[in-house]
Amino acid sequence: MKAKLFISNLIVIAAICSSCRGPRSNEIEPTEKDLNNYITVLSHYYPYTLNDEFVFENESLGKRWENKPFVYGMDSIFPQTEIWLCDDPYASCYGDRVAGIYSNFMENGLSRFESSPSEISTYIRCNGDAYIGWHIKLSFGIYDNCSGHYSISCMPKEVLSILTDTILIPIQIQDTENERIAAPENAYARIVIGQGLTDFSTDGKTVWKRVKE
């Protein structure tokens, strides 16, 4: 299932970031309550429901991109969230805490058998230090998508105060049928608290803006 796949990715990320670990103690923080508070705050960057539409227009190009929310299997929660804690003192992941939230949407007229969905996700991983990662993938068809990532580190007690009203994610990669290349300079995606994904640019020049109808 998608949820299991997502949390598996978080565990892999936690392993990659093992150099960020702080000293272990008998009292493990943040607690599960803290992780739920993280999710509550992050949900304001994902003000979506299954009844929403994701429509973006590029006035410069005269184009329109229409999408609908997408969930795997019988899932009916949107956006989806995950909390993971490793409290086994004998495990290499001991002390790791991960809180994640993500939403997928699919271009109208396409199925997941024809194209992977677009995705916005955020995860907070803690073990001593806290690592906040924002990821976006925009899928415009079978062989045309772009993706980007933004991250920042802080102490767990600083997580909520360090989250700004606007998150600007640089788009770094473009995938085509034949190759993966660096995205144009100044390509980005903007996420605004209370609004979600408001606009993005895949060419670094023209802008796609979300329109609500």
Side-chain angles (χ1 to χ4, degrees):
M1 287 183 63
K2 175 65 175 177
K4 292 182 178 179
L5 204 58
F6 179 74
I7 200 64
S8 296
N9 289 336
L10 298 186
I11 296 172
V12 171
I13 292 168
I16 293 174
C17 295
S18 59
S19 61
C20 302
R21 293 173 185 260
R24 297 178 180 180
S25 64
N26 293 327
E27 183 178 3
I28 303 176
E29 294 185 348
T31 64
E32 185 171 0
K33 180 180 178 180
D34 293 327
L35 295 181
N36 278 300
N37 287 337
Y38 293 168
I39 292 293
T40 297
V41 173
L42 289 177
S43 67
H44 294 296
Y45 296 89
Y46 292 77
Y48 307 134
T49 71
L50 282 173
N51 296 320
D52 286 338
E53 291 187 352
F54 296 88
V55 179
F56 295 85
E57 291 183 349
N58 189 319
E59 293 184 358
S60 299
L61 300 179
K63 292 184 178 180
R64 182 180 173 94
W65 186 48
E66 300 181 4
N67 302 263
K68 290 185 177 180
F70 177 84
V71 294
Y72 286 84
M74 301 300 293
D75 290 332
S76 60
I77 299 175
F78 188 86
Q80 294 173 286
T81 62
E82 297 286 347
I83 287 179
W84 180 74
L85 303 90
C86 181
D87 289 335
D88 183 351
Y90 299 103
S92 60
C93 63
Y94 177 68
D96 281 356
R97 269 90 175 91
V98 179
I101 183 170
Y102 63 99
S103 62
N104 295 308
F105 48 99
M106 181 73 77
E107 184 174 352
N108 290 355
L110 294 179
S111 73
R112 70 184 182 93
F113 301 105
E114 299 173 299
S115 175
S116 59
S118 296
E119 178 178 303
I120 309 170
S121 61
T122 310
Y123 56 85
I124 300 173
R125 179 261 173 192
C126 301
N127 191 326
D129 291 342
Y131 179 88
I132 309 171
W134 298 79
H135 173 78
I136 190 163
K137 175 187 174 184
L138 300 172
S139 182
F140 300 94
I142 303 175
Y143 301 114
D144 182 10
N145 62 72
C146 57
S147 59
H149 183 83
Y150 165 76
S151 62
I152 189 169
S153 297
C154 63
M155 294 303 295
K157 64 181 181 181
E158 300 173 324
V159 167
L160 298 183
S161 63
I162 208 170
L163 292 172
T164 56
D165 289 347
T166 299
I167 306 296
L168 202 66
I169 306 175
I171 291 178
Q172 299 132 335
I173 297 172
Q174 284 190 334
D175 286 309
T176 66
E177 181 177 3
N178 299 315
E179 61 181 346
R180 168 170 287 190
I181 60 176
E185 187 178 359
N186 298 323
Y188 74 91
R190 188 192 320 272
I191 297 175
V192 178
I193 193 167
Q195 299 181 54
L197 178 63
T198 58
D199 58 281
F200 63 87
S201 175
T202 58
D203 59 12
K205 299 176 181 179
T206 64
V207 176
W208 294 83
K209 295 182 178 180
R210 188 180 181 191
V211 295
K212 296 184 178 181
E213 302 173 333

